[in-house]
Amino acid sequence: MTTDLHGPLCAYAERLHATIGDRHHVASPLGAWLLLALSAAASNPDPTAEHAGVPDTAGDPTVADAPTVAGERETVAAELAAALGTDLASAAQVARALLDAPHPLVASATALWHRPGRGLDGTAGRPAALPATRPGRGLDGTAGWRAALPATTEVGALPDQAGLDAWAREHTDGLIDTFPLKVSPDVVFALASALATRISWAEPFEVTDARALGPGSAWARDLRRVLRSPSHGHRGAIATTTRAGDVIVHAAPAQTADGSGLVVLSVAAAPDVPPGDVLATAYHLSAGAADGAQPAGRRSLFDLPLGDAPLWTIREERVRTRARDGREERHSAVLPCWSARSEHDLTAESLGFPAATAALARALAQPAQGFEARQVAMARYDRYGFEAAAVTGMFGTVSLPPEGVARTAELRFGHPYAVVAVATERRPDGTTGPWHGVPVFSAWVAEPEELSDAAPDPDRRPGSASRRA
């Protein structure tokens, strides 16, 4: 089971990555999506009311152009819902579920700040076209929209730049140094989110010569050593997909905490497949990765020819196996270390921030006439973790099974590929929590790094998204 967020977030991630292009980068579509959802919550505090999110100004003698105002609100609400991929009430509900029940391995924080002297009580800064509404609608005081926000969302006076930078450091454990926007006298309110994770692999990678990436890989000539998946604990597959054709898939799970974890999925296609199609495929496959399922379209190694292919090499050997038909399939993945630090402009209309700004400005009765929106994110993937470090070992012994045959596919991530980090959340009663199956970070890996000899670093670089008007 995955949260209802997965489909809308996949669509949003595709639009966000499309604005970034094929350069090496990391991003958190979830971090940006959450800000849209918070705008939806604040602007739609009473979703059960008729024309939810649009104040009933019809017949109000204080508003000469009430029908025009109502029409504009409906247009903004529709644009915001289109960007979110769901209705405003559902988006707000998902945001509250995630932020008010934090994932053990994904730190999250959100904040809504306003300029001192421009109170959010509807008495200061309200344009003539933004009247107070009837009691209970939430626009005549803070009770309505404040109650609609997650309980964990910080609300208060807009900090200065030093305060914003300190907030970013605090909520990313020092991994993001500065807030992505510079505060100025023109800023009347700001909305921000921060996400951070630091995990150790349940089983660390082994090390191998970079030539294992294959003779056709430019990275094999530039690097000395790369990572090889351990014999147990990681998952691999070859799958046929609609948008990217045949792909290779590797899933590295984190050590779990209270039944919750993180799975980092790497997906590579043929070099001529557009990055957007590979990233979209990785997001599609991430839904099953949270449950440990084999990817849709998985190909049996016994249906593929032995020898070399552009993305893999398949060999066969006699082994002792417990496979029912005496035919065992094994997958080993070879991939490089990598890290990325990126900044992204989120002002494209397709990302929803123009509509979010308009909706939030009306809800808060603030005279916002423009907006800025940016995200800064960073990540590191190495032998010991996804911005994490630990070494874990296990010995197991079994009695000798009968003889059979095993085919092993070596999956070679030797050219640019997609990465998606997906949260898992399993409860003791067997159910899953709101974070289960939610993609938290994603990246396009185009600049590999040499394997470091440094001792394991317990930190992982997170992402932070923010937006202001």
Side-chain angles (χ1 to χ4, degrees):
M1 174 185 175
T2 57
T3 177
D4 290 339
L5 173 58
H6 194 270
L9 189 55
C10 286
Y12 190 84
E14 183 167 0
R15 296 196 301 275
L16 175 56
H17 282 287
T19 68
I20 299 170
D22 60 0
R23 62 182 171 88
H24 181 72
H25 70 270
V26 62
S28 177
L30 174 62
W33 190 95
L34 283 173
L35 294 192
L36 303 187
L38 293 185
S39 298
S43 64
N44 191 38
D46 186 8
T48 62
E50 184 180 2
H51 305 299
V54 181
D56 182 8
T57 55
D60 190 331
T62 66
V63 187
D65 58 347
T68 300
V69 172
E72 291 175 352
R73 289 176 185 268
E74 289 179 340
T75 298
V76 167
E79 292 173 350
L80 184 54
L84 287 162
T86 186
D87 62 90
L88 304 191
S90 296
Q93 183 179 11
V94 168
R96 286 191 293 269
L98 294 177
L99 295 170
D100 287 344
H103 189 279
L105 298 183
V106 181
S108 58
T110 54
L112 173 58
W113 300 297
H114 65 93
R115 173 71 64 183
R118 295 186 181 272
L120 299 186
D121 57 359
T123 60
R126 176 188 288 120
L130 298 178
T133 62
R134 295 188 176 93
R137 286 299 180 90
L139 300 185
D140 57 346
T142 63
W145 62 260
R146 183 61 186 94
L149 292 174
T152 54
T153 297
E154 176 185 340
V155 176
L158 179 68
D160 59 14
Q161 191 65 50
L164 291 175
D165 293 344
W167 187 90
R169 287 192 297 271
E170 177 185 356
H171 293 290
T172 62
D173 209 13
L175 300 172
I176 297 292
D177 293 328
T178 59
F179 199 74
L181 294 170
K182 298 299 182 183
V183 70
S184 71
D186 295 335
V187 178
V188 293
F189 63 82
L191 188 61
S193 73
L195 297 169
T197 187
R198 48 176 54 205
I199 59 97
S200 300
W201 304 129
E203 296 289 341
F205 282 91
E206 298 172 359
V207 178
T208 192
D209 191 286
R211 288 175 293 182
L213 290 173
S217 171
W219 295 351
R221 297 188 291 274
D222 296 336
L223 304 173
R224 289 190 307 109
R225 297 181 301 167
V226 292
L227 307 175
R228 181 184 294 279
S229 59
S231 58
H232 300 284
H234 294 202
R235 302 191 300 273
I238 299 171
T240 299
T241 67
T242 301
R243 293 185 57 172
D246 283 344
V247 299
I248 53 175
V249 182
H250 171 260
Q255 294 180 5
T256 59
D258 299 326
S260 299
L262 198 77
V263 177
V264 183
L265 196 70
S266 300
V267 177
D272 59 346
V273 178
D277 288 337
V278 185
L279 278 159
T281 297
Y283 263 84
H284 175 72
L285 295 175
S286 70
D291 292 313
Q294 290 288 349
R298 175 183 177 275
R299 301 189 67 178
S300 170
L301 300 186
F302 289 95
D303 293 334
L304 296 169
L306 295 173
D308 292 334
L311 293 172
W312 62 78
T313 296
I314 299 178
R315 67 179 188 275
E316 185 174 283
E317 59 186 331
R318 300 293 298 181
V319 299
R320 293 188 177 274
T321 178
R322 295 189 183 279
R324 287 186 178 182
D325 58 0
R327 304 198 306 174
E328 182 177 335
E329 299 188 32
R330 303 171 179 174
H331 297 81
S332 175
V334 180
L335 63 171
C337 298
W338 61 270
S339 68
R341 179 185 289 268
S342 308
E343 291 193 20
H344 309 300
D345 182 350
L346 304 180
T347 57
E349 187 173 350
S350 64
L351 300 182
F353 284 94
T357 300
L360 194 55
R362 290 182 182 276
L364 305 182
Q366 296 293 303
Q369 298 176 340
F371 76 100
E372 297 177 63
R374 295 187 66 83
Q375 181 181 88
V376 58
M378 62 186 305
R380 183 176 299 277
Y381 187 108
D382 61 25
R383 181 182 182 185
Y384 298 103
F386 188 55
E387 283 303 329
V391 177
T392 304
M394 181 181 70
F395 290 145
T397 60
V398 294
S399 58
L400 287 177
E403 279 197 349
V405 63
R407 282 197 176 188
T408 300
E410 182 167 275
L411 313 178
R412 300 193 298 264
F413 290 79
H415 59 263
Y417 61 94
V419 174
V420 177
V422 190
T424 65
E425 188 177 13
R426 296 191 178 278
R427 293 168 173 168
D429 62 1
T431 62
T432 57
W435 283 90
H436 190 71
V438 175
V440 184
F441 299 95
S442 46
W444 182 249
V445 179
E447 298 176 7
E449 294 184 349
E450 183 61 61
L451 178 68
S452 172
D453 290 322
D457 182 350
D459 295 340
R460 123 90 172 102
R461 314 304 196 256
S464 175
S466 72
R467 92 131 180 76
R468 72 179 183 180

